[in-house]
Each structure stands twice: as structure tokens, then as C-alpha cells.
Amino acid sequence: MAATRFPTPTYGLLAEFDAPQALIAALEAVREKGYRKLDAFTPFPIPKVSELVVDHRKSKVPLIVLCGGLLGAATALAMQTWISVVDYPLNVGNRPLFSWPAFIPVTFELLVLFAAFSAVFGMFILNGLPRPHHPVFNVERFERATTDRYFLLIEAADPNFDRERTRELLASLGASEVNDVDW
Amino acid sequence: MAAPDVSSAAGAVDLDRSVIAPGHSSESMTAKISSVVFGKTPPWMYLVFAVSFSLVMVMNLAIARLLFVGTGIWGLNVPVAWGFAIINLVWWIGIGHAGTLISAILLLLNQRWRTSINRFAEAMTLFAVACAVMFPLLHTGRPWLAAYWLLPYPNTMGIWPNFRSPLIWDVFAISTYGTVSLLFWFTGLVPDLATLRDRTRNPLLKIIFGVLSMGWRGSARHWHNYESAYLLLAGLSTPLVVSVHSVISFDFSVSQLPGGHATIFPPYFVAGAVFAGFAMVMLVAIPVRKAFGLEDFITSRHLQNMAKLTLVTGMIVVYGYAMEFFFAWYSGNPYEIFAIIENRPAGNYALAWWSLIFCNFLAIQPLWFKKVRQTPWMLWIISLIVSVGMWLERFVIVVISLSRDFLPSSWDMYRGTVWDWALYLGTIGFFFSLMFLFVRFVPMIAMFEMRHLLPEGEVAHEES
């Protein structure tokens, strides 16, 4: 059955915690044991949890936003210059055609526009969203992850993963429930 | 001295200071806020929606008539070729500014009290911008042709917009503002839509919220990028909001007309926008928190803080009025002196100017008193007066200056016709209709951010 289609028999194990502090303690403990393919699910952003999960790597969003913003500003400045100097020069009392101070407002607006699009689309693309299906949704309790429960996932793909021993470890860390995550 | 109150010393909550009432858990808070979406429509809502939707019909009528007959149905004339359309554009855009201020600037300043009003204020921004853009488009008389007057696109006529004109800056500023506000609002909504998806038992709603929430699952990796993107959006919106009303003020200050031609305009317009915006947030939030029993989340502390900001920005605006007089006097220019010092307080529209001074200066003075800031109905009345005052301010700037320009032979009076008023009142109905739909269909308070304010959310603020 499923085992033939997927690399591991299950997707992983999902442990449920009642309090964020318990989740943080558990994350630190499983990292100590050498688990790396893990994720946490929380109803609100907790920087400490994110840092433990992403291994203190920095988010790539700021770089994407910087590129987007620079592209927007360059586009705007190039467009206005080409239109006002090359394609449609208007001689107003012999003032210079390349009147760059007058081009600043539009340049600024397009900088912000492109940067904002980069921030939102960059974030969703980096996160692999939209994705309406994910194995963790197969765990019924998981619907509490967006209200008041804190989940720790260890993927079966982790080299240290052993269904029984990992389950015992998670239970010993104070998880109120540990569930198999089916594919 | 009274006996020391042990309970308040031991961390019991001072209701006047707290941003969320005591005793709430994430579950109770989430249930309360999502109950507005999942519950039945309260009967009063049908009534208020009927009123505002009737006004939308009035708006449609006014637009239809305008398109059939033309801008001649408005009260415009020469010299007053800018009338209600510009007044209302500036008024609506200004109202939107408090939303961005609350969601972006207060976020950057780490003002955690903003959390419960930010979603709401952002929605207000979006709807205010939607009302605002209607006016310049309709002012063209042929809005379906507006794209080719406004946007730079290669066309067979071989012409382009003039990028040295503040009017084309407006096009870019307002469209960017509307788009970025929408992105910011939607990004903030995604985790809350996921909460609704997970809480509803209705299969159709589950699909709808599932699609809208993009499959958000609260993964720590996702939050990591999300927080970074959200903060950057706030950082981008902050200069944006300042730029938008500055650009709008350039429509006046770049022109040569006395009454508009002053360097004080950009800061004074931005302050005026925030002033009008906070008044509108209170105007809507005070009845809504009462009607839906959300006093636990939109507390007295919120109203008091907004009242203080209204007072501060209001006084900056009053300073702007004083500076206009000073500039006029100091310029020594007879046209400036006539337009500002002589004609505003004692000229053809003196009543409008004095009403403006009453609304924006005298009426906000009670806000110095704590008692007034703690009394919602008083705040509501002051907010209403301020909204009228800010409309009058734009009337004074636009109409008085144009109606008394350089040549007395071209002077004329201006008044809005019934169609001007119909369109203006219609957009007010449009705004409130959208607000009611928003309140009913999506969580009006950012639930995931509210969780930071609960005891279990403390962990998010610890240094790691």
C-alpha cells in the first residue's frame, strides 16, 4: 500500500504540548539527541522556536525585498528618463529634460510597490505556500495548532528516527499526546 | 493614606491600563472573536446595513447620472474647477492614513496596544482608498478612458504622461498605497483565516477558509519568514504613508495659487490625515466594540491612547493653520495676504473657515481631560466633529482659494449641487457597507497577534 509510494512508512511523529515553554524545552532536548529534520507548529510566532527549528539561519526574505525594491526604483527612473528625455521631450522654458528631482516621487512609489510584492510573494514562495494538503493535517488534533496547542514534528526521514524510541523520547519530554503522521 | 491594595500590587490588572481584560485564554479569546464570524447576524446589523446600502444605491444613481449627462451636473465652474471631487478624494485618503499608522508605525515602535485595533484600522484604510479613487476617476467624466490619461503605456498617439506634474505622482502614490495596504492586510489575515478553517464545522466554509488561508499550518519555518516579511512591510508602509499625503499636498503646494502655495503643506497634510483617521477609527470602533461585546479586547486604554493621538495630531494641524497665516504675512505678497489673512476669516466663505476652527481646534480641547478620554460617547461626538472639520479644511483650501483668484473679474461662488452631495453621502454609505461586511465575514481583531498579549504569549518576547 502506501509504503510502496512513499520513502518512509509514516511521515513522522507529532507531539502535542500544552505550553510554549514545554515545546521549547522539548525542541532543545531533541536537538541535543541529534534530530535535525524537525518542525514546530505554534498558534503565534515564537522567535525562540523558529531559531531552534531553522538552526539560527537568517531568513532570505530581506534579500528578496532589497532586490525587489532596487528593481522597482531602477524601473521607475529608467522609464521616466526614457519617456521625458528620449521619446517625448517637452521643452518647458528650456529647462533641462533630465529633471530628476521631479522623478523622485514616482521612483519612490515604485520602489515601495515592488519591494512589498517581493516581501509577500517571496515569503509565500519560500514557505511553499499555497499548499492546501500536508501530512500533518491528517492528525485530527492538529486543528488545535492554530488556537492554543504547540506541536513538535520529527520526520521519519531523520536518520535518528526510530518509531518506538522517538515516540518514547517525545512522551518523556512532557508531550500530552504523540501521534503518527500518516502520509 | 488608604491601606495598601495588595491585590493590585500583586499583578492584578488595572482595567484602565490593560490592553486585554484579565482571565482570557487563547481558546476563550479565539472563540470570542471568531464568534462574530460564525454566529448569526444580529438584528441591528440588518438595520444599519439597510441604511448604508441604501446610500450605496444613491451613489450608484449619482454615478449613473454623471456618466449619462456629464460633469455639468456638479457645481463646478470657472474659476472653481476643483470642487467636491478633490475635497472628497483628500478627505477619504486622509481617513485611511490612521490605519497604516496603527498597523505599521506603531508596530515598528513596539506599541503592543495597537494589536486589537490594527486589523480593523487596516480594513478602514482599504475601504477609504476605494472611496477616494472613485472621485478623481469620475472627475474625468469618462472614467473608462482614464487609463489612457493616467497611466504611462505605449499607445498609437505616441504621447506620454508628464512626469513633472504632481497629478501623475498622485496616480502612482494612491495606486501603490492601495495595493500595499491590501497586501499588508491580507498577509496579516492568513494565520487567522487558518484558525477559522480549523474551527469551523461547516464543510463549505472549511473549503473557503482553506483556500484563503493558503494552507497555512503555523510551521516555525513559515513563521520565521512571515515575521521577517511582516516587519519589512511595516517598514515599507511607514515612509509610504508619509509620502502619499505629501504627494497629495503637492497638488496644492506645487501650484501657484495663494492658499495652497506653501512649504508647510506636506507635514501639515500628513498630520491632518492621521488626525482624521484616528477620529474615524473611534467613530467606528466605539459602537462596534459595544455591539459585539468586544470591550475585553478594545479596552478603555485603546480609546484613551487614540484620543491622545487625536489631540496631538490635531494640535499639529492647528499649528499648520497658524503657520499659513505667518507665511502669508512674512511673504509680504499682497495676494497671499489677501487670500489667507483677509479672505479666510472675513471673506466669502468665512462661515466655513470659522466652523473649521471650531471643529479642529476648539472641539478637541476637552481631550486634555482624562475624564473625557475615558468616556466613549464624548469621544464619539468629538470624533464626529473632527471628521466634519477635516472635510471643511479641504473645502477651505480648495474652494476659497479658487473662488477668489488673482483677477476680481473672474471671481465666482461655488456650491455643491444635489448630485455632489449624493455622490459624497453615497461613498459614506459604501464605506460603511464594506465595513459591516468585513466585520461580519473575517475576524476583525488579529487573533494570532492577540495571543502575544496573553500570559502564554510572553514567551515570544523573551530574548533568545
Side-chain angles (χ1 to χ4, degrees), chain B residues 373-422:
Chain B
R373 296 197 300 266
Q374 285 172 324
T375 316
W377 68 265
M378 287 189 199
L379 290 180
W380 195 83
I381 290 174
I382 292 176
S383 304
L384 193 63
I385 297 175
V386 166
S387 299
V388 174
M390 285 311 291
W391 190 86
L392 285 168
E393 178 193 306
R394 280 67 185 250
F395 183 90
V396 163
I397 293 171
V398 173
V399 175
I400 300 190
S401 309
L402 285 169
S403 68
R404 289 286 178 272
D405 65 358
F406 303 95
L407 277 178
S409 61
S410 63
W411 289 359
D412 203 354
M413 291 297 278
Y414 166 88
R415 60 182 54 80
T417 61
V418 62
W419 295 108
D420 280 307
W421 286 104

Side-chain angles (χ1 to χ4, degrees), chain B residues 25-363:
Chain B
S25 67
S26 185
E27 168 59 31
S28 72
M29 185 271 297
T30 310
K32 178 86 196 168
I33 295 171
S34 47
S35 73
V36 179
V37 179
F38 292 140
K40 274 197 160 48
T41 310
W44 63 264
M45 209 160 178
Y46 285 107
L47 189 74
V48 291
F49 192 77
V51 174
S52 47
F53 200 70
S54 310
L55 285 174
V56 176
M57 295 296 114
V58 172
M59 177 186 85
N60 288 343
L61 185 68
I63 294 176
R65 169 107 185 142
L66 177 84
L67 298 186
F68 273 106
V69 182
T71 43
I73 65 168
W74 288 353
L76 302 173
N77 56 33
V78 172
V80 190
W82 275 14
F84 269 40
I86 304 298
I87 298 169
N88 296 340
L89 160 76
V90 182
W91 189 72
W92 275 121
I93 289 277
I95 281 172
H97 276 34
T100 320
L101 182 101
I102 291 171
S103 60
I105 300 180
L106 296 185
L107 178 78
L108 295 182
L109 296 176
N110 216 358
Q111 295 291 309
R112 286 161 67 192
W113 62 273
R114 73 180 253 292
T115 303
S116 60
I117 49 172
N118 100 60
R119 166 82 40 81
F120 187 81
E122 280 171 36
M124 222 182 67
T125 300
L126 279 180
F127 305 149
V129 173
C131 292
V133 293
M134 263 189 256
F135 286 99
L137 290 181
L138 292 172
H139 201 179
T140 63
R142 296 286 178 271
W144 54 92
L145 300 180
Y148 90 32
W149 293 319
L150 302 179
L151 300 175
Y153 74 104
N155 54 61
T156 50
M157 300 168 289
I159 57 171
W160 293 98
N162 179 6
F163 284 103
R164 300 178 189 104
S165 159
L167 297 181
I168 194 76
W169 305 344
D170 261 4
V171 173
F172 281 86
I174 295 173
S175 56
T176 299
Y177 185 48
T179 314
V180 173
S181 300
L182 181 67
L183 287 172
F184 201 9
W185 184 72
F186 178 71
T187 306
L189 260 177
V190 164
D192 278 3
L193 292 170
T195 300
L196 292 186
R197 171 200 68 203
D198 290 343
R199 294 182 74 87
T200 182
R201 294 282 161 262
N202 178 328
L204 180 66
L205 282 183
K206 224 178 180 68
I207 291 172
I208 293 172
F209 286 129
V211 169
L212 290 175
S213 66
M214 328 244 294
W216 185 262
R217 51 186 188 273
S219 158
R221 290 173 208 283
H222 294 180
W223 283 126
H224 187 54
N225 290 326
Y226 182 92
E227 286 237 282
S228 174
Y230 202 67
L231 209 59
L232 285 165
L233 278 177
L236 290 166
S237 303
T238 300
L240 177 66
V241 71
V242 174
S243 83
V244 173
H245 233 60
S246 298
V247 165
I248 288 192
S249 80
F250 292 158
D251 292 344
F252 304 100
S253 56
V254 171
S255 77
Q256 306 289 314
L257 198 66
H261 188 59
T263 48
I264 190 81
F265 262 50
Y268 147 63
F269 261 50
V270 173
V274 174
F275 178 52
F278 271 109
M280 188 56 98
V281 176
M282 287 200 280
L283 209 57
V284 182
I286 289 171
V288 163
R289 78 196 263 271
K290 187 94 194 145
F292 287 107
L294 294 172
E295 285 104 331
D296 282 0
F297 309 124
I298 304 175
T299 65
S300 176
R301 164 100 184 270
H302 294 107
L303 298 182
Q304 291 182 50
N305 282 359
M306 286 195 279
K308 285 177 194 165
L309 282 165
T310 308
L311 182 60
V312 170
T313 47
M315 293 312 286
I316 298 175
V317 170
V318 171
Y319 173 79
Y321 300 153
M323 276 302 112
E324 284 189 298
F325 276 73
F326 173 76
F327 283 4
W329 168 75
Y330 196 69
S331 73
N333 179 321
Y335 293 103
E336 288 278 347
I337 292 170
F338 167 75
I340 310 265
I341 300 175
E342 292 170 23
N343 196 42
R344 279 197 182 167
N348 51 342
Y349 288 103
L351 183 63
W353 190 82
W354 285 106
S355 309
L356 158 73
I357 294 299
F358 168 76
C359 294
N360 286 357
F361 178 43
L362 297 178

